Structures are given as C-alpha cells and as structure tokens.
Amino acid sequence: MTLALMSRLNLGQRYLLIFYPLLILFTVDQIWPWLQKRKAVLYLFCGGCILFQIFALQTVRPHYLSYFNRLAGGPESGYQYLLDSNLDWGQDLPAARAALEKFPPQTGNVV
C-alpha cells in the first residue's frame, strides 16, 4: 500500500480497494475493547453512523455511483479526489441521450 501511494504512476484507487476493509477491521479490533466497556457510546455511535449514512444516500439518489461521503465534500467535490475511470464510467449516458433528444444539436453549414 505504501509503494502504491508513493508511486508517481497513477493506476487508480481500484488497486488499493483490498486495503480498505483490512484497515477498517484493524481499527475496529483496536477500539473494540474500549467500546465494549461503554455500551451507551457504542449504541449512540452506531446509530449516528446509520442515520448519517441514510441521509447521505438519500441526497444522491438515484446517482449512487457518484457517491462521495459528506465528510469528503459529497459528490460535488469528488473530482478533487479522483479522476478518470475512478470517478465516472459513463453511468449517466441515458440522461445525456435524453438531453440531446430534448435539445438536438444545431445542424447546418458551420463556417
């Protein structure tokens, strides 16, 4: 993971995806004993995370592929963190087609 982050060659986040679940599991393993002693904090934290996630997903519906966590700035700021195929694989092409059908490009002689 360190080599991938320090490399000048940008191959994309998809090569690092395996590390995210491992990082989450390691973090939970470290804080679990502390949370077990404080059940109220655990329940409030989990409930807050679930409510935050429900709210965040409702704000991007139905464009789930462009989702970015609100702590990272939301979908509006996603381009600041990722680019190229890590950000968009053309999932909104049906909407682009509908817009082109509604407002067709001007045809004729262009000088």
Side-chain angles (χ1 to χ4, degrees), residues 13 28 33-34 37 50 52 54 57 72 82 86 91 102 111:
Q13 284 289 318
V28 169
W34 183 82
K37 295 175 187 173
I50 290 170
F52 179 78
I54 289 171
L57 287 174
L82 300 176
N86 289 313
Q91 64 268 17
K102 187 175 181 180
V111 179

Side-chain angles (χ1 to χ4, degrees), residues 63 65-66 83-97:
H63 305 287
L65 289 176
S66 63
L83 51 95
D84 194 28
S85 64
N86 289 313
L87 185 60
D88 184 359
W89 283 34
Q91 64 268 17
D92 210 18
L93 289 178
R97 180 179 181 172

Side-chain angles (χ1 to χ4, degrees), residues 95-106:
R97 180 179 181 172
L100 283 174
E101 288 173 354
K102 187 175 181 180
F103 303 105
Q106 298 294 328

Side-chain angles (χ1 to χ4, degrees), residues 4-25:
L5 291 173
M6 294 177 58
S7 173
R8 291 184 181 264
L9 183 61
N10 184 3
L11 295 175
Q13 284 289 318
R14 63 186 172 271
Y15 294 105
L16 298 176
L17 288 177
I18 187 64
F19 292 106
Y20 295 133
L22 297 174
L23 184 63
I24 291 168
L25 288 173

Side-chain angles (χ1 to χ4, degrees), residues 48-93:
C49 286
I50 290 170
L51 289 175
F52 179 78
Q53 196 63 21
I54 289 171
F55 172 75
L57 287 174
Q58 290 300 316
T59 61
V60 297
R61 198 179 101 221
H63 305 287
Y64 297 113
L65 289 176
S66 63
Y67 173 76
F68 277 82
N69 191 302
R70 287 287 164 197
L71 298 175
E76 302 83 23
S77 301
Y79 71 92
Q80 296 175 349
Y81 298 98
L82 300 176
L83 51 95
D84 194 28
S85 64
N86 289 313
L87 185 60
D88 184 359
W89 283 34
Q91 64 268 17
D92 210 18
L93 289 178

